[in-house]
Amino acid sequence: MTTARALAAQVNAGASAAAAVEQSLARAQGDTLNAIIRVHADHARAQAASVDARVRAGERLPLAGVPLVIKDNLLLAGAESSACSRILAGFRSPYTATAVARLESAGAVVVATANMDEFAMGSSNETSCHGPVKHPKDPTRIPGGSSGGSAAAVAAGIAPLALGTDTGGSIRQPASLCGVVGMKPSYGRVSRYGAIAFGSSLDQIGPFAADVADAALALAVMAGHDGNDSTSAQRPVDSAELPADPLAALRGARIGYVAAHEAGLAEDVRARLELAKRRLVEAGATLVPVTLPHERYAVAVYYVIATGEAASNLARFDGVRYGHRAEGAKDLGEVYARSRVEGFGPEVQRRIMLGTYVLSTGYYDAYYKKAQQVRRRICDDFAGAFAACDAILGPVSPTTAFKAGEKLSDPLQMYLSDIFTIAANLAGVPAVSVPFGADRNGLPIGLQLQAPLWADGRMFALAAGIEALGR
Ligand code: GLN
């Protein structure tokens, strides 16, 4: 498929954005993976016409006419956004998320909304109220989650760019499983304004793309301070420019790896990781063994902090202000209780109950406070590791795409899918999944690069080198 960069160059040179968008709309309408839950044909045609007019008037737009798919937890003015939950069915947003608005001002065109796990809780895209998404290469398998629809949409060529959110791995894990690039920015790099909150201290919006350079371009366009999100950073944004020779960035780079990551990896995933390490050395990088001693607590810590924050964020969905309301309740208490029981699926209910428990009097110190203390240790581990290396290379997911239904009845197994991705959210550091070949069944394998806070740009340069080594 044409990259976003190439497409924008064509449109800036006079090719029609409208035509590019029609093609993407047709693919979205013909989606057979259940990756797309809503097509925004009218919006997309109007936006494409405005891009064509701006280009005719002499503007040059970094994403001119580039079709964009957004996850269902990102708001688009006038359109429905429901985080794939029954409780938000029919909710129409009065405003557009900052990240989406910035991409559209740069010429991108939202063509469709992608399926996702309900409220971004899941690793397989099987908890959506719209049903599961199929893996683009094997319909009996899952695409990963929670941004499974976004990853599958890019992998299937519906659009060159998609947005997801990543609270514990929800961009990187489906990117890895579907064979596309997916990036979680430094916490605070991209405004969360207009993203339906899950765990506010962990959530970041990030791009999916077919290659690293497109992801870097999308990030450069969306990043930067936003007065509507006080956690968005004031720091200047890195340029989207990557070195012309992708291997140049690797020469002399210090690439860390964690020996403990290799235990428990599927054989083919481990083999690709080893191959990447060998090729890095051949390319002139130095491999540096590092340790993240508290990383083994990351999943446990995450399921305390993320559920606590989710219980608090989801309290607003009460049947009164938004979305679904239970019929025939006797009093307000019953409206709340029944609307929430009817509106939230089982995984979301489980998270709300866990989160309410860990925040409750008598348990707060034992669970929530303790988890915050371990989180600090995990941050310190990264700081220690990054004193010795520029970035850490490792796996994204212990396995390639698993079978639909395989982990649905065993939440703990599902939670362990994110064992390698969660620490970056807890520490706030940027991380990216880069395609690096496939397993014996042809299922994609991604490798993860994690970098110091605010080193998003440098991380992309190194990731482009690894991408080149994986081809
Ligand atoms: N799979 C993890 C969870 O279920 C992470 C989800 C995410 O990053 N949104 O919470």
Side-chain angles (χ1 to χ4, degrees):
M1 190 178 51
T2 325
T3 63
R5 300 182 312 293
L7 182 57
Q10 288 163 13
V11 171
N12 281 321
S16 149
V21 163
E22 281 310 322
Q23 210 174 54
S24 177
L25 284 172
R27 289 187 185 143
Q29 265 141 2
D31 162 47
T32 55
L33 304 171
N34 200 26
I36 299 299
I37 57 165
R38 226 168 279 125
V39 178
H40 305 291
D42 294 344
H43 168 89
R45 289 184 181 127
Q47 171 70 9
S50 119
V51 169
D52 280 330
R54 286 171 71 187
V55 170
R56 270 199 305 276
E59 276 191 75
R60 293 296 168 261
L61 303 168
L63 292 170
V66 174
L68 171 70
V69 167
I70 61 174
K71 188 175 178 178
D72 192 32
N73 60 354
L74 299 174
L75 305 185
L76 178 67
E80 191 176 333
S81 301
S82 71
C84 285
S85 179
R86 269 190 307 276
I87 206 152
L88 272 171
F91 169 70
R92 282 179 190 275
S93 169
Y95 66 95
T96 298
T98 300
V100 176
R102 286 186 180 175
L103 290 168
E104 286 212 319
S105 325
V109 179
V110 176
V111 290
T113 295
N115 204 340
M116 61 183 279
D117 278 302
E118 184 178 3
F119 281 106
M121 296 170 185
S123 302
S124 63
N125 216 130
E126 293 173 292
T127 70
S128 166
C129 72
H130 295 281
V133 177
K134 296 185 173 83
H135 190 282
K137 290 215 156 65
D138 178 351
T140 68
R141 293 177 190 270
I142 56 87
S146 64
S147 317
S150 302
V154 171
I158 291 172
L161 278 185
L163 289 184
T165 57
D166 191 311
T167 307
S170 276
I171 292 175
R172 291 160 286 157
Q173 185 254 17
S176 171
L177 270 39
C178 289
V180 299
V181 174
M183 188 261 187
K184 180 200 91 72
S186 290
Y187 183 81
R189 183 68 295 179
V190 175
S191 168
R192 291 177 294 113
Y193 184 66
I196 298 173
F198 168 4
S200 302
S201 75
L202 304 155
D203 297 341
Q204 273 293 289
I205 300 172
F208 288 91
D211 69 11
V212 170
D214 271 3
L217 174 58
L219 180 72
V221 169
M222 1 181 219
H225 182 66
D226 170 17
N228 288 323
D229 174 4
S230 60
T231 66
S232 68
Q234 304 271 1
R235 305 176 60 92
V237 173
D238 294 322
S239 133
E241 284 300 308
L242 298 178
D245 170 10
L247 297 181
L250 298 177
R251 267 171 237 130
R254 298 168 308 160
I255 305 295
Y257 68 94
V258 179
H261 283 169
E262 277 153 44
L265 288 186
E267 201 183 312
D268 292 358
V269 177
R270 185 179 321 120
R272 293 306 290 182
L273 178 57
E274 286 313 310
L275 179 67
K277 283 156 67 180
R278 284 201 301 278
R279 289 190 179 163
L280 277 165
V281 172
E282 286 160 18
T286 310
L287 292 183
V288 184
V290 295
T291 57
L292 298 172
H294 299 86
E295 194 190 27
R296 60 199 181 98
Y297 303 115
V299 173
V301 165
Y302 170 86
Y303 277 93
V304 173
I305 293 174
T307 58
E309 294 183 5
S312 164
N313 276 325
L314 271 54
R316 73 190 74 178
F317 305 115
D318 55 8
V320 176
R321 285 171 291 178
Y322 313 86
H324 174 77
R325 179 180 304 174
E327 307 263 333
K330 290 193 308 295
D331 53 35
L332 192 58
E334 208 181 306
V335 171
Y336 291 161
R338 287 199 13 221
S339 300
R340 286 165 69 82
V341 166
E342 291 171 14
F344 291 132
E347 182 59 29
V348 175
Q349 294 194 25
R350 172 159 42 234
R351 305 281 180 114
I352 291 173
M353 284 191 284
L354 266 169
T356 305
Y357 181 78
V358 300
L359 293 178
S360 57
T361 319
Y363 296 102
Y364 180 93
D365 285 353
Y367 294 104
Y368 189 75
K369 191 171 158 203
K370 181 60 78 185
Q372 293 290 16
Q373 289 166 336
V374 182
R375 180 180 193 174
R376 163 53 55 197
R377 298 288 177 126
I378 292 170
C379 295
D380 294 346
D381 285 353
F382 274 106
F386 289 133
C389 66
D390 303 315
I392 300 172
L393 178 74
V396 177
S397 161
T399 65
T400 52
F402 46 91
K403 290 272 186 192
E406 191 180 314
K407 300 189 182 180
L408 205 53
S409 57
D410 187 347
L412 211 56
Q413 278 312 311
M414 190 71 91
Y415 297 172
L416 288 172
S417 311
D418 298 308
I419 190 159
F420 300 120
T421 50
I422 278 174
N425 300 77
L426 291 169
V429 301
V432 60
S433 174
V434 182
F436 205 85
D439 72 3
R440 62 196 68 182
N441 300 316
L443 295 167
I445 294 172
L447 296 181
Q448 177 171 233
L449 205 58
Q450 304 180 92
L453 194 63
W454 310 123
D456 305 55
R458 169 102 172 105
M459 181 177 79
F460 273 131
L462 295 169
I466 292 170
E467 175 179 58
L469 295 181
R471 283 203 175 116

